[in-house]
Amino acid sequence: MSSADGTGEQLAFIRETVRRAKPRAARGVVLAERQPVARVLVDKGVLSLDQYFDYAVPESMSEDARPGVRVRVRFGGRVGAHGRREGGALHDGFVVERRDDSDYAGPLAPLARVLSPEQVLGPELLRLCRAVADRYAGTLADVLQLAVPPRHAGAEGEPSPRPLPPPGAPAAGSWERYVHGAEFLASLAGGHPPRAVWTALPGPEWPGEIARAVAATLASGRGALVVLPDGRAVARVDAALHELLGAGRHVVLAAEAGPQERYRRWLSVSRGSVHAAIGTRAAVFAPVRDLGLVVVWSDGDGSHSDPNAPYPHVREVALLRAAEEGAAVLLGGVSMTVEAAQLLRSGWARPLAAARETVRLTAPRVRTVTEYDQARDGAAQAARLPSVAWETAHEALTRGPVLVQVPRRGYAPRLACGRCRETARCRACGGPLESPAAGAVLVCSWCGTEEHDWHCTECGSFRLRAAVVGVRRTAEELGKAFPRIPVRTSGRDAVLATVPGAPALVLATPGAEPVAEGPGYAAALLLDGWALLNRPDLRAGEEAVRRWLTAAALVRPATEGGTVVVVAEAAARAVQALVRWDPAGHAGTELDEREELRFPPVSRMASVTGSARAVADLLGLLRLPAGADVLGPVPVFGGNGGGAGGAGAAGGAWEEGVERALVRVAPGQGAALAAALKAAQIARLALRGAETVRIRVDPTDIG
């Protein structure tokens, strides 16, 4: 036996002796008779403290200190001469386990308080949050802040309703329009876990189709979860579920309900009173029991990417959860992401789409306009519309409302010198100036400083022109061109859910398009397509297709006179995908190009953003798997306060001193990449101070 082997056996013996030793508590604390040790996750989102800590369970707290409850513990400080924990701040945490022993040989600090006997962190949710933290190089405490809502004592004191028996299996209904649609529903009703990427047909039926998928899952005795990008989509699915199943079978988890009501609904799911939940981003963590189906609608929508560390994406969390709990998956939308296309190509999921003939019968006619031609009609010129778009709107307004999608918010969000075309910038911070209204004082879109006496620093001119026209100015121009037609706007300041079916011009920024009552919009105009296609972002084409199809899907079918006019280069791949209504084909072609370039989702990638020194420090400490490569670092281009690359819209600027590097690994090495990044960040903070570096695994904004 070598000395090394002997040393190893001795260390193992010592560890086992320590583990079997009777736990000790601080003097004066009476330990619980059974399982006197509580293993606690302390709510401190610090990478180096991403572990569990053992605490003594006083006999007075033994009954309530069960796994999954919230507790308060004293963290930090030191053990004094009498075995008491001295100093240290009080922190909230969760009991994850009760034990008979501890790996720590010294006296254990006692739990300070059991905040509530409600078990809010079950083993399934804990495993999911741990998997998400590991995938995104984050901490379990940070993920739990996203997954478990804040406590409200009043809600915990109220009983949840008794669960209803499973409903009957629904009829296929409009799922019959899809190849294998009825079979997918039958598989759910039979308790099986099919996995599908669903290319939804245009029109108003998709909320009802999601409701039928949920009903089929409930009929099998299992639970269902639906995650949608915004409150308007949640409201539509909520209404469809009420119409199909009645009240009491599902809850809505959305911020609009208010924190206490949302927590009350969350508890009804956690307690097993309700077996279906729908909501926005955070709902993906809802503790639905015996989960049988996870639905993610429009997984390419940016709102599915959490802006809080560790920046998880709903789609990836849903896939992790489905694999862990054996649930069915339905990724749906009128468009298709490259990630969804990869799931199809790998065979992990099956396509759920309609035949081409059915698509042609339900989609509107799409026309393209490449240039703003010289319209013969003066009103068309005043409205800044090509003749084709103006004529289409003029005719459609005799039959119903017309949707006008404008990519930019505000009035004139970017201004330039009227003589030399140099971007008009703020003298305080260098940010781009904008005009909030006609004749209004200019304002910096970065720092908000007003500019009362602007002149061009290049040529000295005092004349300005709109480099980019926003939705409010477009509404003003269209109102003049169509003087007797009502004009409504929907955007960041006020988002409309619906509009009447009467003739009107409805102007909206992408993602804020309201639903038209009745048969839908008579026509849609998709203006300034260049603003979407020319974004310096890997996903520019994919995002343009998604935004255009989302708007076009609100228009009546071509058989009922529905027409869409897109102002963009007709030969562009994204424009052709819209004309053919072929999101799957576009996503497949994009995936082919990603494979050639070795970009996500074919590879796994992470971005590292911070000061030049901090980024260099972290890269120097990285121990990457074989075959990994580092792209950069390069200066970050974006708005004030710093995005991460790819955000360079017109008028952007280089962020002083901020750099970003991309780290790329081969498929199957994502876990190794996340672990390496986490270890390097811990080492950097320990050795070189706490200068911030933002790590983002699978960034959505690769420029």
Side-chain angles (χ1 to χ4, degrees):
M1 178 183 297
S2 68
S3 60
D5 291 339
T7 302
E9 287 190 2
Q10 290 176 4
L11 289 173
F13 174 76
I14 292 172
R15 291 192 189 98
E16 183 65 14
T17 302
V18 170
R19 190 185 67 80
R20 291 180 177 178
K22 185 176 180 180
R24 293 185 295 143
R27 185 174 299 178
V29 177
V30 179
L31 285 175
E33 291 186 7
R34 293 184 62 256
Q35 296 182 319
V37 176
R39 188 147 285 179
V40 176
L41 172 69
V42 181
D43 189 8
K44 285 181 67 68
V46 181
L47 282 173
S48 58
L49 300 178
D50 190 27
Q51 56 185 301
Y52 302 139
F53 295 89
D54 289 348
Y55 284 83
V57 181
E59 179 61 35
S60 60
M61 301 182 191
S62 182
E63 185 177 346
D64 289 339
R66 297 173 294 169
V69 305
R70 305 178 203 250
V71 292
R72 184 159 291 166
V73 296
R74 193 169 293 280
F75 190 83
R78 63 184 182 86
V79 178
H82 299 289
R84 292 183 180 275
R85 179 70 61 177
E86 298 175 353
L90 288 172
H91 291 275
D92 292 345
F94 297 91
V95 175
V96 298
E97 184 184 2
R98 286 284 295 272
R99 297 170 58 90
D100 293 316
D101 48 46
S102 172
D103 296 332
Y104 180 63
L108 299 177
L111 298 175
R113 181 184 174 191
V114 177
L115 295 175
S116 165
E118 187 81 40
Q119 293 173 284
V120 294
L121 182 60
E124 295 86 1
L125 183 56
L126 178 61
R127 285 195 297 270
L128 174 65
C129 293
R130 180 73 267 173
V132 172
D134 291 343
R135 189 187 196 286
Y136 288 97
T139 67
L140 180 55
D142 281 342
V143 178
L144 284 174
Q145 286 191 349
L146 307 178
V148 181
R151 176 177 179 253
H152 285 268
E156 286 185 348
E158 301 173 6
S160 295
R162 294 175 60 87
L164 298 175
S174 57
W175 277 108
E176 296 279 7
R177 304 182 301 165
Y178 300 91
V179 179
H180 304 306
E183 291 86 343
F184 177 79
L185 224 60
S187 181
L188 292 176
H192 304 293
R195 301 188 294 256
V197 173
W198 170 35
T199 307
L201 289 166
E205 289 84 5
W206 66 264
E209 288 158 357
I210 290 178
R212 289 182 184 276
V214 170
T217 306
L218 295 179
S220 73
R222 304 192 71 183
L225 175 62
V226 183
V227 188
L228 302 117
D230 55 53
R232 294 177 300 137
V234 170
R236 295 181 69 183
V237 175
D238 178 37
L241 282 168
H242 273 291
E243 182 178 350
L244 183 65
L245 295 174
R249 294 195 180 275
H250 77 281
V251 294
V252 174
L253 301 177
E256 290 79 5
Q260 182 163 341
E261 177 58 28
R262 186 181 186 277
Y263 187 51
R264 181 182 292 109
R265 298 175 185 179
W266 190 91
L267 286 175
S268 69
V269 176
S270 177
R271 294 168 177 173
S273 298
V274 180
H275 296 288
I278 67 173
T280 47
R281 187 173 56 230
V284 73
F285 292 101
V288 176
R289 295 193 180 181
D290 192 14
L291 186 65
L293 172 66
V294 182
V295 180
V296 179
W297 175 257
S298 191
D299 65 295
D301 193 295
S303 62
H304 283 311
S305 182
D306 204 302
N308 301 301
Y311 318 109
H313 194 286
V314 163
R315 176 187 56 247
E316 306 307 322
V317 177
L319 297 183
L320 284 172
R321 187 167 185 184
E324 174 70 27
E325 302 186 41
V329 174
L330 183 61
L331 291 182
V334 293
S335 62
M336 183 182 294
T337 60
V338 177
E339 287 79 6
Q342 188 191 37
L343 294 176
L344 293 177
R345 186 169 296 182
S346 67
W348 190 90
R350 303 294 296 274
L352 199 54
R356 289 303 304 172
E357 182 59 31
T358 306
V359 174
R360 283 191 287 269
L361 290 174
T362 55
R365 179 192 180 195
V366 179
R367 302 179 66 182
T368 63
V369 180
T370 303
E371 300 288 345
Y372 279 101
D373 55 3
Q374 293 297 319
R376 291 187 297 271
D377 193 298
Q381 288 183 345
R384 201 176 53 87
L385 290 177
S387 291
V388 171
W390 190 88
E391 291 165 0
T392 298
H394 188 269
E395 187 279 328
L397 284 169
T398 64
R399 299 181 286 110
V402 172
L403 175 65
V404 183
Q405 185 191 75
V406 183
R408 305 290 188 181
R409 62 174 180 82
Y411 187 80
R414 290 293 183 271
L415 298 170
C417 173
R419 180 190 296 171
C420 70
R421 302 298 194 262
E422 181 70 18
T423 299
R425 295 195 175 278
C426 171
R427 287 183 289 183
C429 73
L433 295 175
E434 65 176 306
S435 174
V441 175
L442 306 184
V443 177
C444 176
S445 60
W446 286 2
C447 67
T449 300
E450 293 185 349
E451 177 59 72
H452 295 271
D453 187 25
W454 177 88
H455 68 275
C456 181
T457 57
E458 295 295 322
C459 68
S461 174
F462 289 85
R463 290 191 300 110
L464 282 167
R465 66 184 296 272
V468 177
V469 176
V471 64
R472 288 207 296 271
R473 177 164 172 177
T474 304
E476 180 182 284
E477 293 170 345
L478 290 178
K480 295 176 181 178
F482 299 93
R484 290 181 292 276
I485 299 296
V487 178
R488 298 182 174 89
T489 59
S490 179
R492 186 176 67 174
D493 297 334
V495 178
L496 304 177
T498 61
V499 293
L505 286 166
V506 181
L507 283 83
T509 50
E513 301 90 351
V515 176
E517 296 173 355
Y521 290 101
L525 311 181
L526 310 178
L527 303 184
D528 299 338
W530 59 268
L532 296 179
L533 293 176
N534 292 346
R535 291 169 58 240
D537 193 293
L538 187 66
R539 295 181 180 271
E542 176 187 322
E543 181 69 359
V545 171
R546 185 187 68 82
R547 291 182 173 187
W548 288 339
L549 286 174
T550 299
L554 302 174
V555 180
R556 302 168 190 176
T559 54
E560 300 176 18
T563 303
V564 173
V565 178
V566 56
V567 182
E569 175 58 52
R573 181 192 303 161
V575 176
Q576 286 301 306
L578 173 65
V579 171
R580 297 192 306 271
W581 208 278
D582 184 21
H586 183 271
T589 304
E590 290 278 308
L591 182 58
D592 291 338
E593 290 191 352
R594 302 278 184 92
E595 287 180 342
E596 292 180 9
L597 298 171
R598 294 178 53 229
F599 273 108
V602 178
S603 64
R604 293 293 304 281
M605 188 173 281
S607 66
V608 178
T609 308
S611 71
R613 177 185 174 184
V615 170
D617 279 350
L618 189 137
L619 293 178
L621 293 168
L622 268 180
R623 297 296 178 264
L624 294 171
D629 55 342
V630 178
L631 310 178
V634 296
V636 169
F637 189 83
N640 189 40
W654 300 106
E655 294 185 47
E656 185 176 356
V658 180
E659 292 187 350
R660 183 176 80 156
L662 298 175
V663 186
R664 178 170 60 189
V665 298
Q669 294 183 327
L673 171 62
L677 287 166
K678 187 172 181 178
Q681 182 78 308
I682 292 173
R684 191 187 67 83
L685 294 176
L687 296 173
R688 295 175 172 84
E691 189 176 358
T692 302
V693 171
R694 180 185 182 190
I695 295 175
R696 188 156 191 170
V697 178
D698 297 332
T700 58
D701 57 350
I702 302 173

